[in-house]
Each structure stands twice: as structure tokens, then as C-alpha cells.
Amino acid sequence: MTTSPLMPAWGVDHLPTLLAHCRRCGTYTFPSNAWGCRECGDDTLDKVPMPQTPRLRNFITVYGDVAPGLTSPVVVGEVEIAPGVVEEALIAVADESQLKLDMPMEAIGADSADTQRGLRFRPLKAQR
Amino acid sequence: MSRLLQERAVHVVGIGMHPYQFPSETPYVHLGLTAVREALKDAGLQWPQVQAAFVGTAAIGMAAGRVMLRHLGSTGLSVTQVENASASGSSAFRLACQAVASGEHDVVLAVGVDKTGHARRASGSDGLSTLSPTSNLPVAKFALLARRYLRDGGLNIEALARVAVKNHGNASLNPYAQFRKPRTLEQVLASPKVAGELTVQQCCPRGEGAAAVIVASAAAIARLGLSRTRSPRVIASVSISEKLGRGDVPPIVQMVRDSSLAALEQAGIAASDLNMVELHDAFSIEEIVYGEAIGVSKPGEGAHDLARGDTAIGGRCAVNASGGLIGMGHPIGPTGVGQIAEITRQMRSEATGRQHPNTRLAMAHMIGLGSVAIAHVLQKTD
Ligand SMILES: [Zn+2]
């Protein structure tokens, strides 16, 4: 796998396979090891990287220590990682002032190409 | 179900509550029995006359029903435990209605009872990972929804905080509520921030309690000499789960829309006919968004209607006259059953201190993690 021109590197030289792509209906499902297609239920799924530059669709700051492993305050966003797939994700910025709605994002910090563990998003370099 | 409830009338003949409260050492058996005994007394029924029981609970553990109900006498009735997250009690009530509507039974109990702290969520056991530790956390999801709603409507945080002011005010008049203090707009806004625009006082508390409702057929009401006029009729019962989002409407909002519309169609009424709605306001934003989805308010006008008093007790359609989840509390298992108890009390004009005038048609709407939605419509009996 090579780095897509749309997708900046995030520390290693290939992209995390975040999604499952349905051979039957073409729908993307998150995460890549989902047990079936969220649209049609078929289980012939291919593990694929994000097919587009992720976009920030919404964001907030979480203030309380509301979940294990979460040190607040932290910025949480809704990131569209594939057509119609909008996932809550940690946004690696100091505060919301660096963010604009619908801005392109890049993925950073995953432990390996096969996992989204540790993965966060930040504004694409040109936007920062 | 749609025709069943029209063919064989199901009435709420008895209601009982154990007040919702902060976590305590009180055994759940005491909480539940308090509510059931109050409901039996309210209906004028003896325990052996109850033929089946559905027990809504999310956190107590297996076989909560018989362990609790045996203290009323071992009659051999059918006992079924129901877990459906926040909608556990609503689902227990729905099954009780079905048991009567189907003709299998004549007198059936739905009881919700819960303790705080032992519930485990299946979402952590599906073998899949998420991108954020908040992904299965309602407060983050609803804070994001709130941010979107305020942005789209050009509204400020006060629009949300007014939900909490109204519902804490209603709860202060409800002897079964967990919170009994009215809160000002300033207090709600000054309470600690949790996520986005949501402050602590815009979020439901953790708690425990119990609620019980007894439903019966019209034949049983006549045969057992129960009060018909104190027994509202259940004219719709709907249960659905979430579908994938389409367009700009968040899936959970579409689910509320679909479930409430189906319930209104089943009842043969319009949203504008509703005098009262009890709904899932675990977070302030939910009341505004669901009010619009149900049709209590026109799209985009929920915050405006609230500010004008349309959804207050005495307004056009009272929303969460009980105090809702924010004020009355949200002990999970009891919550949906408590909604039915509140509506019944209001239809009987027995909601002393918080009586909404002329309640004839009301909806109880509940959602649960996952997500599921349960909607019931009740009609006053003349
Ligand atoms: Zn498919």
C-alpha cells in the first residue's frame, strides 16, 4: 500500500485500514473488523484505508473525566472518514479555536497500520 | 399490536412509586415492593389477582422479579425480566399491555426497579474498537447534537438551560422526584461544564428507585369492580430501533420521529392533539430536539416554544411535567414506568401541585442505548 496523495503520512509509511468495504453493496463500515456490513449485513468485507480526506463535521470540548482513559479537557470531533461514515474521534489540538467546521483533517498517532488504537485527528497541515 | 389495542382495550388501573433517590444501601427489594404495594392499593387489587409480571431492570442482575415478588405471596404468576437499557421499564410496560391485549391475561403488572452502579454495557464487549473513549458515551453524543442544534438555529446556551430550569421546577413539585429544588437560569449556567454546552444541571443524575403500573382489560375492570374513570386507556404502543442516517437528520432523531409518528397513527390522532408528553431528557438538548421530532413543536421552534411557556405545566402541551429525567431522575429500569404513572396521575387530576389542566391525550416516549425507541399513547377515560 502506498500513501495516497490525499492522505498525509501519520508516522509510518502507509495508512491505517480503518474501514470495512462491502463487496456486495459498496457501503463503508467502521471499524475494519466489523462483523457485517451496516447497510446490507453481508460479511464479505475488505479492510481498506480511508477512501477520502477525512472532514471535521462537528466538535466539542469534553470537560469532565467522563470516560476511562480520558484526560479532560479534550476536544472530541465528529469526523467523516468515508462517505456517510461519521465517527467520534479525539482531535489533537490544544483547544477548539484551531478548528473550523468541515475542514480537512489528517490521521496521526496510530500504533500500527492494522489498528486504530491511539489514532487521533488534527487539521491537515495546510489548514493549521 | 396496532389492531390489538383497538380490539381489546387495555387500561392503566393502578400506579405506585418509590421516590427516585441518590444511591443508597436500601435493597432493591424494598424499593420495588414499595411501588408494587402502592399500585395494588391504588387499583384496589389483591396480589393473587395479578396474573403476570414484567420486571424492567438494567443493573440488578438475573431473576430480580421472583426474588422481590415472593414477598407478596407465592401465587405462581408468570414473571419475566426485561432489560432494554433506558427503555427497560417502557418495554416491560409494552409487554404487559400486549399480554392483556392478546387476551392471554386480564390483570398484569409492569414494574421497573433499579440500583445504580452495576450495569454493564454490551457495547464494550462487541470485539470492536472505537476512535474515542467517548464513542459510546451519551453525554458526548448529546453535547455534539446540542452544538449542531444551536449552530443551525443561531441559538445560545440559554435555549438549552431553560429545559433544565423548567424540569427542575416541575420536579420540585413532585414528591417522587430525586431533585426537589427549583433552579434558576443563572444556576444552571453556572453549574460545572460537562461537555460542550452541557452543564451538570442539564444532565440527569445517577439514582435508584421503583415504579409500578398495573394494566387490566375492560372486562377485568367490570368484573373486579375497579374504577373505570381513574383508568386511562393505552391506545398505541410502538417499539423500533435505529436505522442508518440519511441526509442531515441524525439517526437518533429520525428514530424518535418514526416511532412517535407510528404511535400517533396507531392512536388515530395528530401530534397537535397531545396535551402532555413525557420524554427522555437525560440531557437538556434531547427535550428540544425530540419535542420537534414528535411534533409538539414545529421544526426549529422547540427552544422558542419552551421560552414562551408552551411546554410548561399549563401550557399548550406540558413536556415532562414530572420533572423529566433531569429533575425527577433516571434510575433506568423504573424511568419508563414512571412516565406512565405520571401521565395516569395527571389524567385523573391527582397531580397535586403540578396538575396540568385537561390532560386527555398524552405520549410517553423513551429511548435506550443502542439505540431503541418505545412510544405509548394514553387517553383519558370518561
Ligand atoms: Zn453491504
Side-chain angles (χ1 to χ4, degrees):
Chain A
M1 199 182 297
T2 56
T3 303
S4 151
L6 283 175
M7 289 298 308
W10 40 272
V12 293
D13 60 359
H14 55 285
L15 298 167
T17 50
L18 282 184
L19 293 141
H21 186 249
C22 179
R23 287 186 198 174
R24 184 173 162 205
C25 77
T27 298
Y28 289 95
T29 299
F30 174 86
S32 58
N33 59 337
W35 303 102
C37 169
R38 66 199 180 108
E39 175 71 43
C40 76
D42 203 84
D43 63 354
T44 50
L45 304 172
D46 295 315
K47 294 185 179 191
V48 296
M50 288 182 284
Q52 63 187 39
T53 301
R55 295 260 169 188
L56 183 67
R57 298 305 184 196
N58 195 6
F59 54 88
I60 54 164
T61 301
V62 173
Y63 300 96
D65 290 330
V66 291
L70 195 72
T71 309
S72 65
V74 64
V75 178
V76 172
E78 288 178 310
V79 180
E80 186 165 6
I81 56 176
V85 182
V86 180
E87 284 294 314
E88 264 179 50
L90 296 176
I91 309 298
V93 290
D95 61 67
E96 292 180 24
S97 67
Q98 298 166 52
L99 301 176
K100 284 197 291 282
L101 215 57
D102 299 325
M103 72 194 307
M105 307 293 279
E106 63 183 354
I108 57 167
D111 295 350
S112 80
D114 301 323
T115 176
Q116 57 269 17
R117 201 167 49 238
L119 192 105
R120 289 163 293 147
F121 290 82
R122 70 182 178 200
L124 198 62
K125 198 171 183 183
Q127 310 290 315
R128 287 195 305 252
Chain B
M1 192 68 172
S2 62
R3 277 178 38 252
L4 271 183
L5 283 171
Q6 269 60 48
E7 286 168 7
R8 188 168 146 94
V10 176
H11 294 264
V12 178
V13 298
I15 57 174
M17 303 284 302
H18 185 290
Y20 298 168
Q21 61 191 23
F22 287 95
S24 75
E25 296 298 312
T26 308
Y28 89 89
V29 174
H30 173 76
L31 305 176
L33 288 177
T34 301
V36 176
R37 287 191 164 117
E38 189 172 292
L40 287 166
K41 188 174 171 204
D42 177 63
L45 285 166
Q46 302 298 315
W47 178 241
Q49 293 171 309
V50 177
Q51 300 156 327
F54 292 92
V55 182
T57 185
I60 291 173
M62 282 196 285
R66 167 74 182 144
V67 169
M68 168 174 71
L69 297 170
R70 68 195 170 98
H71 298 283
L72 296 164
S74 297
T75 64
L77 83 168
S78 161
V79 175
T80 306
Q81 184 156 324
V82 185
E83 188 277 304
N84 210 3
S86 289
S88 296
S90 307
S91 299
F93 176 71
R94 176 171 154 81
L95 290 169
C97 292
Q98 286 178 329
V100 171
S102 70
E104 187 183 9
H105 296 298
D106 265 333
V107 179
V108 177
L109 168 72
V111 53
V113 59
D114 244 325
K115 297 285 290 183
T116 302
H118 302 292
R120 290 176 59 219
R121 292 177 185 181
S123 59
S125 308
D126 63 359
L128 305 177
S129 50
T130 61
L131 288 176
S132 169
T134 61
S135 291
N136 293 311
L137 210 63
V139 68
K141 175 177 176 153
F142 290 115
L144 284 159
L145 184 66
R147 177 65 61 88
R148 184 185 303 275
Y149 185 88
L150 295 180
R151 189 171 56 222
D152 290 352
L155 298 165
N156 58 28
I157 184 174
E158 289 170 11
L160 293 183
R162 282 192 193 95
V163 173
V165 173
K166 171 176 71 65
N167 292 353
H168 279 287
N170 291 352
S172 75
L173 305 168
N174 182 353
Y176 298 105
Q178 187 165 339
F179 286 125
R180 303 295 310 281
K181 277 187 195 157
R183 300 288 184 185
T184 64
L185 194 61
E186 292 70 27
Q187 286 172 323
V188 171
L189 292 171
S191 65
K193 289 179 173 181
V194 183
E197 276 73 28
L198 298 178
T199 57
V200 165
Q201 289 182 10
Q202 297 175 60
C203 305
C204 67
R206 283 152 55 88
E208 62 180 33
V213 156
I214 300 170
V215 293
S217 64
I221 288 175
R223 189 178 73 246
L224 301 171
L226 310 181
S227 168
R228 205 180 117 75
T229 54
R230 289 181 79 246
S231 303
R233 181 173 171 183
V234 184
I235 57 172
S237 176
V238 166
S239 169
I240 66 169
S241 64
E242 195 172 292
K243 294 196 243 180
L244 292 188
R246 297 275 183 255
D248 286 342
V249 182
I252 197 159
V253 177
Q254 189 62 47
M255 179 179 74
V256 174
R257 227 183 244 181
D258 292 346
S259 53
S260 54
L261 184 62
L264 291 168
E265 280 178 4
Q266 200 179 109
I269 63 170
S272 55
D273 295 326
L274 293 169
N275 312 114
M276 169 172 288
V277 173
E278 290 281 310
L279 56 74
H280 184 278
D281 62 325
F283 305 97
S284 55
I285 181 64
E286 292 185 272
E287 179 171 307
I288 296 178
V289 171
Y290 301 163
E292 293 178 10
I294 291 169
V296 170
S297 294
K298 294 196 178 82
E301 293 186 11
H304 180 250
D305 288 356
L306 168 67
R308 208 170 48 188
D310 285 0
T311 55
I313 293 170
R316 174 167 54 78
C317 177
V319 178
N320 289 325
S322 64
L325 280 59
I326 285 176
M328 184 173 179
H330 183 27
I332 312 291
T335 310
V337 181
Q339 291 182 325
I340 303 296
E342 174 68 15
I343 287 169
T344 300
R345 208 181 299 282
Q346 293 278 353
M347 286 186 172
R348 294 168 170 178
S349 298
E350 293 174 0
T352 310
R354 63 180 194 290
Q355 182 63 47
H356 181 60
N358 306 317
T359 307
R360 300 197 58 80
L361 288 163
M363 179 180 287
H365 195 283
M366 184 58 69
I367 65 158
L369 283 173
S371 304
V372 298
I374 316 285
H376 286 96
V377 178
L378 274 70
Q379 180 175 41
K380 181 177 166 44
T381 307
D382 293 314

